[in-house]
Amino acid sequence: MARTAFFISDGTGITAETLGRSLLAQFENSNIQMITKPYIDSREKAQNLAAVIEATAVRDGERPIIIDTIVDQTIREIITRAPGFKVDIFTTFLAPLEEELNTHSSYSVGRTHAIGQDDVYMQRIDSVQFALDNDDGARVHQYDKADIILVGVSRCGKTPTSLYLALQFGIRAANYPFTEDDLDEDGILKMPKALVPYRHKLFGLTIDPRRLAAIRTERRPNSRYCSIDQCLQEIHQAESLFKRFHIPYIDTTRFSIEEISTRMIAETGLQRRIRPR
């Protein structure tokens, strides 16, 4: 039976959605439609949403699940009157923390995802800009400034992982794609000259060839680039290079970007410039 879950906040909704999805992911046999409703920051918006929740309960024949991080008491009361199973994250956890810390919460909207300290915010922006500037081997002369250099074949996940490392942790990640230009005369993948001085910064990404072929087909259908034979050959060459030069690597096939990044940090001991948000 289908159920609906609402993630509601008077701020960005990121905290409510992140926690809500983490909780509901434990119920993999349930058919749950997830809806995020950020910036419910007025009585009118709250009343309109309450009407939507009520209509959803009638349609589904089951009360919706409501997971919220609403700070404003008036708005919270309006949502509370809507027919739903409620998980009020702030009320559940703030009161016990207030008692333990012997102080009152500021009950401020958007504290988690606000800009906050200027230096921390600028670290995030600078790291993201570095990842963009150094995507796909664009500026190899900047590799001395990189914290890590992701290497692998085209479309194995290097770019999104680089951007996630930058945005979430302030890590300066460059990435370099292996191409046919990096093959020697015998058709063996050699260490690219631009990477030789930075072998200690290299981290490899690999992927199942069938998955790689499917991804590449979306980009260039009916081409040698997306053929399974080409993908098999490239993956074999890349993994052989990783083993030959003792470069640590991760198979990205079944891991999310979040898992790839945190595993990478754990394995390499990379220092985060900022804490994840």
Side-chain angles (χ1 to χ4, degrees):
M1 185 177 295
R3 297 287 294 267
T4 303
F6 288 91
F7 308 135
I8 307 171
S9 175
D10 37 14
T12 63
I14 294 172
T15 300
E17 180 176 354
T18 301
L19 291 174
R21 287 184 179 277
S22 295
L23 291 171
L24 295 176
Q26 305 304 314
F27 303 92
E28 56 188 30
N29 294 325
S30 298
N31 180 16
I32 303 176
Q33 180 188 10
M34 304 180 194
I35 300 172
T36 302
K37 292 291 184 179
Y39 299 113
I40 304 301
D41 52 8
S42 69
R43 291 177 58 88
E44 181 181 4
K45 290 180 182 179
Q47 289 164 351
N48 290 339
L49 180 55
V52 170
I53 294 171
E54 186 171 357
T56 302
V58 173
R59 183 198 67 197
D60 292 351
E62 294 281 355
R63 58 181 180 169
I65 299 163
I66 300 173
I67 298 177
D68 79 82
T69 54
I70 296 173
V71 173
D72 187 281
Q73 182 64 32
T74 302
I75 295 173
R76 188 190 296 125
E77 288 174 357
I78 294 172
I79 298 299
T80 298
R81 292 196 290 269
F85 174 78
K86 300 173 186 66
V87 181
D88 185 336
I89 295 171
F90 279 175
T91 299
T92 301
F93 296 109
L94 282 183
L97 280 171
E98 286 179 332
E99 183 176 349
E100 177 64 24
L101 297 173
N102 195 28
T103 187
H104 291 290
S105 163
S106 63
Y107 287 89
S108 300
V109 177
R111 294 283 294 183
T112 305
H113 300 283
I115 288 180
Q117 294 176 293
D118 288 344
D119 59 338
V120 173
Y121 183 71
M122 290 310 300
Q123 285 279 13
R124 175 174 282 108
I125 297 302
D126 290 345
S127 297
V128 170
Q129 189 61 57
F130 184 87
L132 292 171
D133 288 344
N134 290 274
D135 187 36
D136 276 349
R139 300 187 179 182
V140 297
H141 64 279
Q142 293 187 354
Y143 283 178
D144 59 320
K145 299 180 178 66
D147 297 316
I148 191 169
I149 303 169
L150 306 186
V151 291
V153 303
S154 172
R155 310 303 288 178
C156 69
K158 300 183 302 300
T159 297
T161 303
S162 297
L163 289 170
Y164 185 85
L165 287 168
L167 185 62
Q168 291 295 314
F169 305 111
I171 290 172
R172 293 186 176 183
N175 73 78
Y176 183 99
F178 295 137
T179 67
E180 291 184 346
D181 292 338
D182 297 315
L183 301 177
D184 64 19
E185 59 274 10
D186 296 319
I188 297 173
L189 183 65
K190 63 180 185 293
M191 177 69 75
K193 289 182 180 179
L195 301 181
V196 171
Y198 307 106
R199 277 176 52 182
H200 61 291
K201 294 185 179 183
L202 302 184
F203 199 99
L205 298 184
T206 188
I207 189 172
D208 180 83
R210 292 176 294 276
R211 175 61 179 153
L212 179 62
I215 294 171
R216 288 182 172 185
T217 297
E218 294 179 4
R219 190 174 189 183
R220 296 186 203 165
N222 304 316
S223 65
R224 184 170 73 92
Y225 173 74
C226 70
S227 71
I228 187 63
D229 288 341
Q230 180 68 21
C231 293
L232 280 165
Q233 181 182 3
E234 289 186 30
I235 291 298
H236 173 72
Q237 290 173 333
E239 291 184 357
S240 296
L241 183 140
F242 297 154
K243 293 170 183 175
R244 193 160 69 247
F245 290 98
H246 306 289
I247 298 170
Y249 67 97
I250 289 177
D251 185 334
T252 65
T253 308
R254 295 178 181 82
F255 290 138
S256 67
I257 293 172
E258 294 87 346
E259 289 174 305
I260 295 167
S261 300
T262 51
R263 285 172 180 268
M264 192 180 298
I265 290 171
E267 188 165 336
T268 62
L270 275 174
Q271 296 299 307
R272 309 173 182 186
R273 288 192 176 84
I274 56 178
R275 308 308 299 177
R277 301 174 71 81

